[in-house]
Amino acid sequence: MKFVDIVTIQVAAGRGGNGCMSFRREKFVPKGGPDGGNGGRGGHIFLEATTDLHTLADFEYSRHISSNNGAHGQGARKFGANASDVVIKVPCGTIVFDKDTGEPLADLVEPGDRCLVARGGRGGKGNAHFANSRRRAPRFSEKGEDGEKRKITMELKLIADVALVGVPNAGKSSLLAAISNATPKIADYPFTTLSPNLGVMRIDQDKIVVADIPGLIEGAHQNKGLGHYFLRHIERTRVIVHVLDLSSGSLESVVNQWETVLDEFRAYNADLLERPYIVVGNKIDIDSGRDLIDKADEFFSQRDIRFIATSALTGEGVQKFMDHIVSLSREHPRPTGTTRLFATVEENLPEKRTRDKVQILKLHESGCFRVIHPRIEAASARYDFGQEEAAVRFMRILRQYKVEELLEASGAQEGDTIYIGDVAFEFQPERAY
């Protein structure tokens, strides 16, 4: 399966259904009242973490996801049905950002973690909703609101128990294949691994996820080589295995491999240096590698660092390596819920911020103005101006916010075009002078 760890998609929640304007028509009931029902809510769009996926490849060619609209209200006080929500499954470890603002929305770590990324539009009210003791026969209803639309970027940071790290061609992929069920690409040239591979070790009742991370070169924290594609995937791992190529010829070159990785950790995220780790010297099946076993063992023992010599090709030392992984994993169990890079947001997104002050903008076109205020814009979208009483109700809102006076103060004259939301009006002031 192709590994994809960053993708941007567009989500569009469903529109709310329109409210209905209707009056009862029953035999022997001479004055039937209003009975128009409300429209249903548009479908929300959620992201939900699952262990069934390990990559974002499913979204590479499905960049637009939408939910259904709510049903319209009907007479006899029949409310429109709410649209069903859309739940998008993503791998555990997916971080979600708003593409336009860069705001983090959620860090979905545990299976079942859920985030609302697009809210469905509210259904419009039917005329029965507006009936009261003073207004007994309202002849207007509301249209449903548009659903929320946004672009989101999803970034996957693998959740693995153990990360195999090292310079290119150190033998990480071969070791992963030797200890797990993974079948990574293996070849004798640098950067064989271009994306992380995952394998699962099963020891008795234990299941340990091991990640083979792409090779690291000096300057990776500056995004050289495979850069951040290497570094981002070790941020969640709890145990690190430094894989060194003992066949490189000298102890100095072996130690340099290890120090290169440590330097990149330090420059990218110094917290990585605090993670428990062991060092594995690989390729002891080669004579030059076997000659360095004792020297490397002495070097790391003096620093109180566990060192294991292995050959992924012949299997020598592999079982001892696996035992150490199991031991370290038990010593450092994964703390549930504390591996998030930031807190998951509440399922319900906060309401849009309101602006109490009405703003009047003079547009570039001659004689054109735009009125900006959330309640007034929402009303212009909700009301059906083909209904006479809806227009009257909207004019009351304009008078409440003194829009006419503000327009005149901004230079608007009779006959000018006024934009409110997506609706255009001709300015016809009613104030008496």
Side-chain angles (χ1 to χ4, degrees):
M1 177 184 294
K2 183 177 181 180
F3 186 90
V4 177
D5 57 359
I6 296 181
V7 69
T8 296
I9 65 173
Q10 183 167 335
V11 292
R15 178 185 176 88
N18 296 335
C20 175
M21 187 179 73
S22 171
F23 291 87
R24 292 171 56 198
R25 295 291 185 268
E26 297 182 25
K27 191 175 182 180
F28 307 120
V29 182
K31 296 183 179 180
D35 68 350
N38 299 342
R41 171 184 59 78
H44 297 320
I45 298 182
F46 294 90
L47 298 182
E48 184 175 305
T50 177
T51 56
D52 296 334
L53 297 175
H54 301 288
T55 173
L56 297 171
D58 291 348
F59 303 101
E60 193 171 20
Y61 302 105
S62 298
R63 298 298 180 96
H64 299 272
I65 298 176
S66 59
S67 56
N68 293 326
N69 299 332
H72 299 315
Q74 300 180 39
R77 293 182 181 268
K78 293 181 180 179
F79 284 27
N82 293 336
S84 57
D85 298 330
V86 172
V87 180
I88 306 170
K89 301 291 186 178
V90 297
C92 293
T94 299
I95 303 176
V96 189
F97 299 91
D98 186 293
K99 171 67 173 177
D100 296 325
T101 66
E103 175 191 4
L105 302 178
D107 186 7
L108 306 176
V109 174
E110 306 293 340
D113 281 354
R114 180 180 277 207
C115 171
L116 175 60
V117 293
R119 185 194 302 277
R122 182 175 67 86
K125 305 295 185 184
N127 67 332
H129 174 84
F130 299 102
N132 54 41
S133 59
R134 296 176 57 190
R135 185 173 52 226
R136 301 195 178 192
R139 296 180 177 276
F140 62 90
S141 59
E142 293 180 341
K143 294 187 289 185
E145 294 181 351
D146 287 332
E148 190 174 22
K149 297 179 181 178
R150 72 192 326 171
K151 287 184 178 180
I152 60 173
T153 296
M154 296 183 287
E155 179 178 342
L156 175 60
K157 295 192 176 182
L158 292 177
I159 299 179
D161 300 300
V162 180
L164 304 181
V165 302
V167 298
N169 215 31
K172 300 181 297 297
S173 299
S174 300
L175 272 178
L176 180 68
I179 65 175
S180 72
N181 58 354
T183 55
K185 179 181 178 181
I186 299 171
D188 188 20
Y189 55 84
F191 296 116
T192 307
T193 303
L194 298 178
S195 61
N197 294 306
L198 289 179
V200 178
M201 284 177 52
R202 298 184 183 274
I203 310 292
D204 298 328
Q205 299 301 317
D206 289 324
K207 182 173 121 176
I208 300 173
V209 180
V210 183
D212 161 26
I213 307 297
L216 177 66
I217 64 172
E218 186 175 354
H221 69 279
Q222 298 173 336
N223 219 20
K224 294 181 180 179
L226 297 178
H228 295 164
Y229 286 95
F230 168 90
L231 293 162
R232 76 159 62 93
H233 290 297
I234 61 175
E235 290 189 84
R236 296 189 196 270
T237 55
R238 50 193 168 114
V239 175
I240 296 175
V241 176
H242 290 264
V243 181
L244 307 179
D245 180 4
L246 293 188
S247 68
S248 56
S250 68
L251 179 62
E252 182 181 358
S253 64
V254 171
V255 172
N256 185 62
Q257 296 174 39
W258 175 60
E259 290 178 341
T260 296
V261 174
L262 294 183
D263 288 343
E264 295 308 313
F265 283 4
R266 190 175 294 108
Y268 177 75
N269 182 354
D271 290 342
L272 296 175
L273 298 174
E274 305 300 322
R275 304 284 172 86
Y277 69 90
I278 60 175
V279 176
V280 173
N282 194 31
K283 301 187 181 181
I284 61 173
D285 52 284
I286 300 175
D287 291 340
S288 57
R290 186 169 297 276
D291 294 341
L292 285 178
I293 294 177
D294 293 338
K295 293 180 181 179
D297 188 27
E298 180 181 358
F299 175 86
F300 288 106
S301 297
Q302 290 174 354
R303 289 157 179 76
D304 198 25
I305 298 172
R306 294 183 188 177
F307 175 81
I308 306 164
T310 65
S311 169
L313 182 63
T314 65
E316 184 177 354
V318 170
Q319 186 59 51
K320 182 179 179 182
F321 170 47
M322 295 173 67
D323 292 341
H324 275 78
I325 288 179
V326 173
S327 176
L328 270 177
S329 297
R330 288 173 177 169
E331 289 175 18
H332 305 278
R334 178 177 294 282
T336 302
T338 61
T339 56
R340 303 183 193 280
L341 301 181
F342 51 83
T344 301
V345 297
E346 295 295 328
E347 183 171 289
N348 292 323
L349 296 176
E351 296 291 342
K352 296 178 181 178
R353 295 179 181 177
T354 59
R355 294 165 293 181
D356 294 330
K357 186 177 179 181
V358 177
Q359 299 181 49
I360 306 296
L361 298 182
K362 188 172 184 179
L363 305 183
H364 293 299
E365 304 95 79
S366 177
C368 295
F369 297 80
R370 177 171 291 280
V371 177
I372 300 177
H373 188 277
R375 185 187 172 195
I376 299 174
E377 293 174 273
S380 71
R382 283 201 311 269
Y383 293 157
D384 182 354
F385 294 105
Q387 302 169 352
E388 183 177 348
E389 286 195 24
V392 172
R393 184 176 175 84
F394 184 68
M395 290 303 298
R396 289 198 192 113
I397 295 176
L398 297 182
R399 283 195 291 270
Q400 177 184 346
Y401 285 92
K402 299 183 179 180
V403 173
E404 186 175 297
E405 290 90 330
L406 293 171
L407 283 168
E408 289 184 330
S410 298
Q413 299 179 1
E414 184 175 353
D416 286 349
T417 302
I418 311 301
Y419 293 96
I420 303 178
D422 295 329
V423 183
F425 302 89
E426 182 178 327
F427 186 45
Q428 296 291 340
E430 297 180 354
R431 294 197 309 124
Y433 292 92

